[in-house]
Amino acid sequence: MANTNEENCGNLKKQLAKLFEASLRETVPSEPDVEPLVAACTAKFGDYQCNYAMSLWSKIKGKNSEFKGPPAVGQAVMRNLPPSEMIESCSVAGPGFVNIVLSKSWLAEKIQKMLVAGIDTWAPKISVKRAVVDFSSPNIAKEMHVGHLRSTIIGDTLARMLEFSKVDVLRRNHVGDWGTQFGMLIEFLFEKFPNFEDVNERAIGDLQAFYKASKQRFDAESAFKERAQKAVVRLKGGEPKYRQAWVKICDISRKEFDKVYQCLGVHLEEKGESFYNPFFPGVIEALSNQGLVQESEGARVIFIEGINIPLIVVKSDGGYNYASTDLTALWYRLNEEKAERIIYVTDVGQQQHFDMAAKRAGWLPAGDRMFPKASHVGFGLVLGDDGKRFRTRATEVVRLVDLLDEAKTRSKAALVERGKTEEWTEEELEQTAEAIGYGAIKYADLKNNRLTNYTFNYDQMLNDKGNTAVYLLYAHARICSIIKKSGKDIEELKKTGVLALGHPDERALGLHLLQFAETVEEACTNLLPNVLCEYLYNLSEYFTKFYSNCQVVGSAEETSRLLLCEATAVVMRKCFFLLGIVPVYKI
Ligand code: ARG
């Protein structure tokens, strides 16, 4: 028996690839570098397919091979597959495609094993030890807009998937807390509140309005502008009064951001732009010593091949900018934090070319498949129903807390309409409304390929039919209620019962369950949460089909089917967890 290695425990694709690898070594010993490409397939011939006979043929033909064409290669590959409990049957189709039908008793056994050992045994294995996920990252005293909401939602999911894969993730909030605008804000604070130490967010009210007012003053009055410019210098010089005022402004903003993070259940660790100030001189000096930094119109810059505008590392006034801060942050993440993977979650418009400077400096390897590696995870715009950038009213920006609240309010109203006020405690009602409302916003964002724009529409995202969080949460709750209705102790059944996949719809559901691991791995390596959403939606579809055609409670197969229900619920919950959605257990 071939060792269907436990290390790829949940991952069917990888386990099959191992078998094919062994067969290839046997079939074409002269070609040691052929990589087996195994893919799930929906054709009626099998569950998986390995189809490289064509490419293999093009390599060996003419080298006086024993084979007469790709189909013969396919046949030989199939014959040489080591015997395995995994496989029920194989066949060769067309120009040498090897089709695999998995054994249903093997599938059933694996699912049952997961139920006992826990879903974490299906976590992907990723070679990266530590990753920085740079996400959310709003700017102090400015609005936190829907773009930041997308970044927060997508970044949190990516962090969760990596954490699930046992990567040590540094969830980094790279807030914009530094720059010339702080001179203006500080000066305005002094003017409005001579005792600025006592100022709190209530006194200031809306920090965005405060920002606007100070900007107006800055543009209108030259004396104020001059004071603001001096304030920047004094802040940078570390003068206590100016630093205190800066800290105050940052704190007020932070409280506003935290409200959003609290709603969303997102955890972040802040290291804002200012954090990197002390590291600039050393980094610039090292880059200069490498001969990478040049003078250009009073500034110091790094030229990058293929890009017309150089990267400014030191501005003509001696200050640093957004890009040079990022360059320094990258240095810090690589050298101090020892991250092997650095992921930036920002809108697609933010072309980040500092990593090219880092490649020139030799901080990052030139090749794309090597580590350490910096990746930009871009995303599209959030649109309103009018197809334009999302806003509530024409001129006004949306406060994120209000946006989230609205979803909760609407989902609560729907629950009240369903008569839940009589059945549930106020706390249950609140919690469910939150889970559904916030879950709906997250899922609506995550289900599309992140690169596309998506339309923000409450009616759509809160619909209980179709591919929405509400539908999926209800599907999960329904499974829980089936198990409950049976009156059986599911923990007991896990130990004593036997799961079988006799009916075709049971088998289809079981196979899909076992594809969880390879799906998360794909979502994780390609940084695409929508892959996981699609999996989750299909899971509920497979379940529905199973449940419509197979009686559970009261049937002869009750125990087995309850175990299948439980396995579905467990996998669904893990998907919800990875998407940052709180599951609902009853409806
Ligand atoms: N503060 C920036 C913005 O609001 C996003 C920062 C993204 N992270 C980074 N390392 N540049 O657009």
Side-chain angles (χ1 to χ4, degrees), residues 561-576:
R561 290 181 176 168
L562 283 172
L563 287 172
L564 195 54
C565 287
E566 173 68 6
T568 307
V570 167
V571 173
M572 280 189 114
R573 280 199 288 277
K574 198 49 162 194
C575 291
F576 286 138

Side-chain angles (χ1 to χ4, degrees), residues 134-139 143 145 148 151 172-177 273 322 325-326 329 333 344-347 350 352 354:
D134 176 323
F135 68 111
S136 193
S137 308
N139 302 313
E143 48 133 354
H145 53 70
H148 295 120
S151 175
R172 195 49 39 81
N173 205 357
H174 188 84
V175 298
D177 64 354
E273 293 177 14
Y322 185 62
T325 303
D326 260 326
R333 291 163 181 183
Y344 299 88
V345 190
T346 64
D347 62 80
Q350 286 206 23
Q352 313 222 317
F354 51 84

Side-chain angles (χ1 to χ4, degrees), residues 134-425:
D134 176 323
F135 68 111
S136 193
S137 308
N139 302 313
I140 299 289
K142 294 191 189 158
E143 48 133 354
M144 186 178 185
H145 53 70
V146 280
H148 295 120
L149 179 67
R150 286 210 82 175
S151 175
T152 309
I153 292 172
I154 296 169
D156 180 52
T157 301
L158 295 177
R160 282 167 182 264
M161 292 198 287
L162 290 164
E163 283 156 355
F164 179 52
S165 313
K166 301 189 183 64
V167 176
D168 177 19
V169 178
L170 308 179
R171 298 166 152 262
R172 195 49 39 81
N173 205 357
H174 188 84
V175 298
D177 64 354
W178 203 249
T180 45
Q181 76 273 24
F182 280 95
M184 163 188 105
L185 287 164
I186 290 170
E187 218 35 69
F188 197 62
L189 184 76
F190 290 160
E191 200 172 274
K192 288 268 157 202
F193 305 96
N195 297 320
F196 76 94
E197 288 95 337
D198 308 327
V199 165
N200 57 23
E201 63 272 27
R202 231 170 313 128
I204 289 201
D206 186 350
L207 202 51
Q208 261 167 262
F210 184 84
Y211 185 95
K212 263 193 207 146
S214 71
K215 179 85 172 73
Q216 256 163 21
R217 186 108 172 74
F218 183 87
D219 291 336
E221 204 189 301
S222 59
F224 179 83
K225 187 172 179 173
E226 222 167 275
R227 265 184 291 142
Q229 279 157 348
K230 285 203 181 108
V232 181
V233 180
R234 296 170 85 166
L235 172 66
K236 285 187 181 162
E239 227 174 281
K241 187 179 164 197
Y242 289 80
R243 276 205 78 90
Q244 279 160 22
W246 171 73
V247 167
K248 191 109 229 169
I249 294 167
C250 291
D251 276 346
I252 294 172
S253 258
R254 215 169 269 135
K255 285 206 176 106
E256 191 65 23
F257 301 157
D258 281 343
K259 282 185 206 157
V260 174
Y261 299 143
Q262 204 131 55
C263 284
L264 296 174
V266 170
H267 161 74
L268 278 144
E269 189 207 354
E270 182 181 320
K271 275 193 171 50
E273 293 177 14
S274 66
F275 175 85
Y276 302 98
N277 287 345
F279 303 98
F280 272 109
V283 170
I284 307 292
E285 195 188 300
L287 291 170
S288 304
N289 290 344
Q290 283 180 278
L292 295 177
V293 182
Q294 275 159 278
E295 297 288 326
S296 170
E297 296 170 33
R300 303 179 68 193
V301 305
I302 297 181
F303 280 95
I304 295 158
E305 217 183 322
I307 295 178
N308 290 338
I309 313 156
L311 184 91
I312 298 177
V313 284
V314 187
K315 292 189 292 181
S316 52
D317 67 0
Y320 312 115
N321 64 8
Y322 185 62
S324 55
T325 303
D326 260 326
L327 193 60
T328 307
L330 180 58
W331 176 88
Y332 184 86
R333 291 163 181 183
L334 291 168
N335 295 286
E336 297 293 317
E337 299 186 313
K338 310 261 183 260
E340 290 158 291
R341 190 92 206 253
I342 299 145
I343 293 165
Y344 299 88
V345 190
T346 64
D347 62 80
V348 280
Q350 286 206 23
Q351 254 315 332
Q352 313 222 317
H353 62 239
F354 51 84
D355 59 329
M356 291 194 231
K359 279 184 183 168
R360 263 200 80 187
W363 299 354
L364 295 173
D368 252 359
R369 295 185 64 175
M370 285 186 277
F371 292 102
K373 185 173 170 169
S375 320
H376 178 220
V377 170
F379 52 80
L381 295 173
V382 182
L383 305 175
D385 283 327
D386 55 2
K388 297 206 189 101
R389 211 178 257 264
F390 184 77
R391 306 235 148 122
T392 35
R393 268 156 284 162
T395 49
E396 248 178 85
V397 287
V398 194
R399 276 184 73 230
L400 290 189
V401 194
D402 297 341
L403 198 78
L404 296 168
D405 270 353
E406 174 83 18
K408 178 183 164 186
T409 309
R410 287 182 185 228
S411 74
K412 191 169 172 181
L415 291 169
V416 171
E417 199 161 299
R418 291 167 75 116
K420 296 297 163 193
T421 3
E422 278 117 72
E423 270 175 62
W424 293 355
T425 64

Side-chain angles (χ1 to χ4, degrees), residues 150 154 348 377-381 443-455 467 522 526-534:
R150 286 210 82 175
I154 296 169
V348 280
V377 170
F379 52 80
L381 295 173
Y443 191 78
D445 189 319
L446 295 172
K447 78 170 179 183
N448 306 298
N449 180 307
R450 56 180 164 72
L451 294 170
T452 58
N453 298 342
Y454 94 94
T455 306
N467 189 1
E522 188 197 330
N526 299 335
L527 308 170
L528 290 174
N530 63 304
V531 170
L532 188 63
C533 293
E534 193 185 310

